Amino acid sequence: MGAITYDMEIPSSISASKMFKAVVLDSDTLIPKIMPQAIKSIEILEGDGGVGTIKVINFGEGSQFKSVKHRFDAIDTENLTHSYSIIEGDALMGVLESITYHVKIVPTEDGGCICKNRSIYHTKGDVHEITEDKIKEGKEKAMAMFKAIEAYLHANPDC
């Protein structure tokens, strides 16, 4: 098994603590509400919502994928970090063992934040490469989701 790592940073005018709450703590209800065409529902299969919890994410009609299983690996609410892994589902495209994400929301001097995301694609067997198009597609979807959450927070400042 190999591993391919990609990093991405997304700036936002939303405060780090507010963005962390939306992206991590409230995501199970917020994302299906904001982007039902992308994420239809998120349900807990095992666990209490904390580290070790297994969830199923059911994609919306606009997605090429049906669902994935998501494992909550770590959280640090003081340092605004969160790690999780996609461990099963058609989004792994038969060539990936799993995808691990490490997310850190960093405050900026202007009161906003930067979302730093490291994606580690754990490949099966001899697969050593994921096409740039697939990586670009994943990054674009992550960026769109982040920007949709940001727009929602601007429109609903009391969240």
Side-chain angles (χ1 to χ4, degrees), residues 9-10 16 19 38 56 59 63 81 86 97 101 122 127 148 152 158:
E9 293 188 4
I10 308 170
M19 187 60 77
V56 64
F59 295 108
S63 177
T81 62
I86 303 299
E97 195 68 42
Y101 299 93
H122 302 278
V127 177
Y152 179 83
D158 294 333

Side-chain angles (χ1 to χ4, degrees), residues 6-7 24 28-29 32 44 46-47 49 79 95 101 109 124 142 152:
Y6 293 94
D7 293 314
V24 177
D28 289 4
T29 54
I44 293 178
E46 299 173 26
N79 292 306
V95 297
Y101 299 93
E109 289 182 15
K124 286 184 175 180
Y152 179 83

Side-chain angles (χ1 to χ4, degrees), residues 43-78:
E43 303 162 29
I44 293 178
L45 295 178
E46 299 173 26
D48 61 4
V51 173
T53 295
I54 306 287
K55 301 176 184 180
V56 64
I57 299 173
N58 297 298
F59 295 108
E61 299 298 321
S63 177
Q64 67 193 48
F65 304 118
K66 183 178 176 188
S67 66
V68 293
K69 280 191 182 174
H70 167 289
R71 183 184 64 225
F72 197 98
D73 295 328
I75 188 167
D76 182 338
T77 55
E78 282 186 31

